[in-house]
Amino acid sequence: MVKAHRCKKLSCKEQPLDPERHGRIESLDVNSSPSLLLNIALALQHVLVLSSLCALVVETLIQEVDKDRIVAYVFFNSGISTLLQSWIGSRLPLILAPSLDFLIPSLALLSAQSGTAVACRGQCTEPEEPVAPAHPIRELRGMAVVAGMVQLAVGLTGLGGFALGRCGPLVLAPLLCILGFSIYREAALFCSDHWGMAALAVVLLVILSQHQHYFLRLSVFSVCKRLSVLLSVMVTCGVCAALVRWGHVHLNSVTQIVSTKRNATFIQSRNSPHSSDFVFPNDSVPWLDFPLPAPALPLLSGKSIAAGVAGGLSSSISSSAVYVVAARLLKAPVPPAHACNRGLCVDGLGSVLSGLMGAPVGLCSSVPNACVIGLSQSGSRSTVQLTGVLLLILGVSPQLAQMLCSVPLAIHGAVLGVTYTLSVATGITYFQHADVDSGRNIFNIGFTVFMSLALPRWFRLHSSFIQTGVPSVDVFLQSLLTLPVFFVGVLAFLLEHTVSGTLPERGLVRHEGTKKILSLADQQQGYSYSPNAVYDPPPLVMKVLDLSGLRTVPFCACRSPPVEEVVVTVPEMSSLLPDKDAAVSSG
């Protein structure tokens, strides 16, 4: 009896950890296929996160009667670009959407048109006699087309993959951190519409994604964790709708929020408040309207070209960083050069298509949608492809797009605030691979992060400092110098390659066989599958890229490198044969 009791204790000790107790669920990788209902719910979650970016970028720029139709156009273009990205682009489960990389240059462009300091984002004074803007939408569309051409050029020339391959941990860490910090002002602005609703959404997000495994079964916990964003938004929207109906809460539109924070004359407040749109959708918006190319061509003025070049450069840096975030959250290898270049080319095609179809902003890889992978522990490519199909459906129905964008701004702010934090956390993880006690690294990190936050703020506060006498140059400089992602990308890359330091100090190692310099972040992280399984395009696309006419120009940077064949020498074979014969004879 004593022996049996002891064996029972030992068997209990040897049992594996209970996943229900420790809150661990099996993550879905790129090639996994969730169940149909779970896949639809995950796709709806991505659509809700994308609508938060549209509320920030599109509704801030467009305050016209056909705004809902333009939002539908953005959804439609985003759906097409997302499908292309998952098929022939980087192949990562990413959503293409507008971002701050296009919002800030657009505000600088509109500021140059109207004579107001719009690009200061609420921190500048208004001139005494503003001038009404001329053709603002056409110039914004022209900016989107130019930005797309810049993204295409960065991808086709291989510059994006070349730069990403030379970004060690001390470049990626500050870049990803600033990428996450870049949204804090706008997220706080949206949350200020109603801090109670924003706090409720944030608390639900944290509980559903992190804490509720203590009192739920594993199956229920798995669903709640994967759909934490969707469930939080739905519950908060229900509470908000009830309070609005009873008259206890009054919500504002993006225009009303922004207009109270800055004196921008080109933005007019809407007659109806945002709360009435949230409760009673506008019946004048059509249910079905297939997107067609805009009758008027985009306007390519000097200022729109300057803003487009700035937006294209910044979005290229941002998209490359998003590729790294998605790969890190998926525990996949860092994207190779050819996958990064293909992804940037698809971003460029999406931006050009967006401008030609009538949308005033370009497209690049969405940061919050990539960060949702970390919250949901699901990065299936099939989910992203289904999201693209849903975006196409929303794109042909302005009424559905309006209903989706009628989510209260405080909830949009909460979604953006929580999702962007994962980019900051992912950047911090890269510091472990370098010598953080090194004086060189301490200076590089501190200088890069501080200057990337301080200088763009200073240039927003003193927009009149840039006066070259050439409006297009002013717009270009004002756009670049107020983009934190561009600042941190350039500063971190320059300091990393100009300040002397040893390879281990910089988080790098030299491969013994090929003598190539590799990142310790790639060497120390174990991967469950090879890069080819994640980033290689379908066989049909690979055959097209391998055609003799496309091997050099213009798709040479988008092709996978040839596989090196390992040749086994004769002495090695001869050394193996005697052992085999000896083994046979002994048997």
Side-chain angles (χ1 to χ4, degrees), residues 173-250:
L175 176 59
L176 299 185
C177 289
I178 296 300
L179 187 67
F181 285 135
S182 62
I183 200 69
Y184 78 92
R185 184 181 292 104
E186 286 73 17
L189 182 64
F190 276 18
C191 291
S192 64
D193 185 31
H194 197 288
W195 283 104
M197 293 296 104
L200 176 61
V202 171
V203 170
L204 287 175
L205 267 169
V206 174
I207 290 177
L208 292 177
S209 63
Q210 305 298 328
H211 290 301
Q212 42 87 34
H213 61 273
Y214 291 107
F215 48 87
L216 289 179
R217 294 179 302 171
L218 180 61
S219 58
V220 180
F221 164 65
S222 175
V223 174
C224 291
K225 184 176 180 62
R226 295 193 194 280
L227 305 178
S228 57
V229 178
L230 178 63
L231 295 176
S232 302
V233 171
M234 291 177 61
V235 172
T236 311
C237 281
V239 173
C240 190
L243 294 177
V244 169
R245 174 73 68 174
W246 294 334
H248 296 294
V249 173
H250 175 74

Side-chain angles (χ1 to χ4, degrees), residues 230-302:
L230 178 63
L231 295 176
S232 302
V233 171
M234 291 177 61
V235 172
T236 311
C237 281
V239 173
C240 190
L243 294 177
V244 169
R245 174 73 68 174
W246 294 334
H248 296 294
V249 173
H250 175 74
L251 303 175
N252 298 311
S253 65
V254 177
T255 306
Q256 291 167 336
I257 290 290
V258 174
S259 298
T260 57
K261 300 297 181 181
R262 68 168 182 245
N263 296 324
T265 57
F266 79 97
I267 293 183
Q268 303 293 331
S269 297
R270 292 188 294 182
N271 296 328
S272 60
H274 188 69
S275 58
S276 63
D277 292 338
F278 175 56
V279 182
F280 306 107
N282 188 3
D283 296 332
S284 62
V285 179
W287 280 98
L288 188 62
D289 183 19
F290 191 81
L292 296 174
L297 293 176
L299 182 58
L300 297 178
S301 63

Side-chain angles (χ1 to χ4, degrees), residues 1 3 19 36 43 133 155 166 183 192 210 273 348 354 395 412 483 493 503 511 548:
M1 294 296 294
K3 292 182 179 180
L36 179 60
R166 282 153 182 79
I183 200 69
S192 64
Q210 305 298 328
S354 182
H412 285 315
L483 284 166
F493 192 85
L503 292 180
H511 193 271
S548 59

Side-chain angles (χ1 to χ4, degrees), residues 567-578:
V567 180
V568 181
T569 58
V570 176
E572 291 178 342
M573 294 295 295
S574 60
S575 63
L576 292 175
L577 290 176

Side-chain angles (χ1 to χ4, degrees), residues 9 167 578:
K9 283 187 176 182
C167 290

Side-chain angles (χ1 to χ4, degrees), residues 81 84-92 94 96 151-162 164 319-320 323 335-350 365 381 531-538 541-542 544-546 554-561:
S81 303
L84 290 176
Q85 185 71 268
S86 63
W87 184 47
I88 63 174
S90 65
R91 300 276 290 165
L92 287 168
L94 297 175
L96 270 67
Q151 292 169 315
L152 269 173
V154 174
L156 291 178
T157 58
L159 182 60
F162 175 83
L164 183 61
S319 291
S320 302
Y323 301 157
H338 61 89
C340 178
N341 294 330
R342 289 198 311 270
L344 293 176
C345 289
V346 173
D347 290 354
L349 290 176
S365 298
R381 190 182 291 122
N532 297 336
V534 181
Y535 300 108
D536 278 357
V541 179
M542 296 183 66
V544 173
L545 293 177
D546 286 336
F555 301 107
C556 55
C558 301
R559 295 176 61 251
S560 303

